[in-house]
C-alpha cells in the first residue's frame, strides 16, 4: 500500500555536487557585485549618544548607515537633517543587532 523511497548514494552525491556548484557561483557573484553606487535621500542622525549614526533613507524606503571619517561626520552633522546624494561602496553589517546596508562614503553632495 505505502511505497518507501530508497535513496541511492550515487544520486545523493550528484545532488550534493550540484548544490555545491550553485552555492559557489552565487558567492562569486556577490563578491563581484560590490562596486560604487550613488544613492540620494534624506540623511538624519539616529541612535543614542554616544552610539549615534547617520542614516540615509531613500524615497523608496531603503535605509543605509553612512560610514565616513570623523572629520567628514563633523561637517555633515552641522547640516542634518538634509537631502543629500552619496556615492560609495555598499556592504551588509549589523546595526543595533540587525543586518542593514552600510554605505562607505566616497563623496557627498547636498541637494
Amino acid at each position: 500500500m505505502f511505497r518507501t523511497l530508497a535513496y541511492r548514494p550515487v544520486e545523493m552525491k550528484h545532488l550534493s555536487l550540484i548544490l555545491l556548484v550553485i552555492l559557489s557561483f552565487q558567492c562569486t557573484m556577490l563578491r563581484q557585485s560590490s562596486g560604487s553606487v550613488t544613492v540620494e535621500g534624506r540623511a538624519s542622525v539616529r541612535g543614542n549618544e554616544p552610539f549615534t549614526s547617520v542614516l540615509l533613507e531613500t524615497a523608496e524606503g531603503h535605509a543605509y548607515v553612512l560610514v565616513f571619517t570623523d572629520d567628514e561626520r563633523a561637517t555633515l552633522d552641522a547640516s542634518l537633517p538634509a537631502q543629500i546624494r552619496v556615492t560609495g561602496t555598499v556592504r551588509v553589517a549589523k546595526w543595533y543587532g540587525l543586518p542593514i546596508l552600510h554605505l562607505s562614503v566616497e563623496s557627498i553632495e547636498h541637494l
Side-chain angles (χ1 to χ4, degrees), residues 40-51:
E40 63 181 63
R42 184 168 180 81
S44 59
V45 177
R46 299 289 177 92
N48 298 313
E49 288 291 343
F51 306 108

Side-chain angles (χ1 to χ4, degrees), residues 37-87:
V37 296
T38 301
V39 183
E40 63 181 63
R42 184 168 180 81
S44 59
V45 177
R46 299 289 177 92
N48 298 313
E49 288 291 343
F51 306 108
T52 59
S53 299
V54 178
L55 196 71
L56 178 72
E57 294 179 89
T58 65
E60 296 84 22
H62 301 277
Y64 300 86
V65 174
L66 300 182
V67 180
F68 33 60
T69 64
D70 291 337
D71 294 335
E72 292 172 326
R73 167 87 189 249
T75 57
L76 185 63
D77 276 351
S79 62
L80 291 180
Q83 277 299 116
I84 61 173
R85 179 179 297 133
V86 179
T87 301

Side-chain angles (χ1 to χ4, degrees), residues 14-35:
H14 291 295
L15 182 60
S16 301
L17 182 62
I18 291 170
L19 288 174
L20 181 65
V21 169
I22 290 171
L23 287 174
S24 65
F25 180 70
Q26 288 179 342
C27 290
T28 303
M29 286 179 53
L30 286 174
R31 275 187 274 139
Q32 291 175 350
S33 66
S34 62

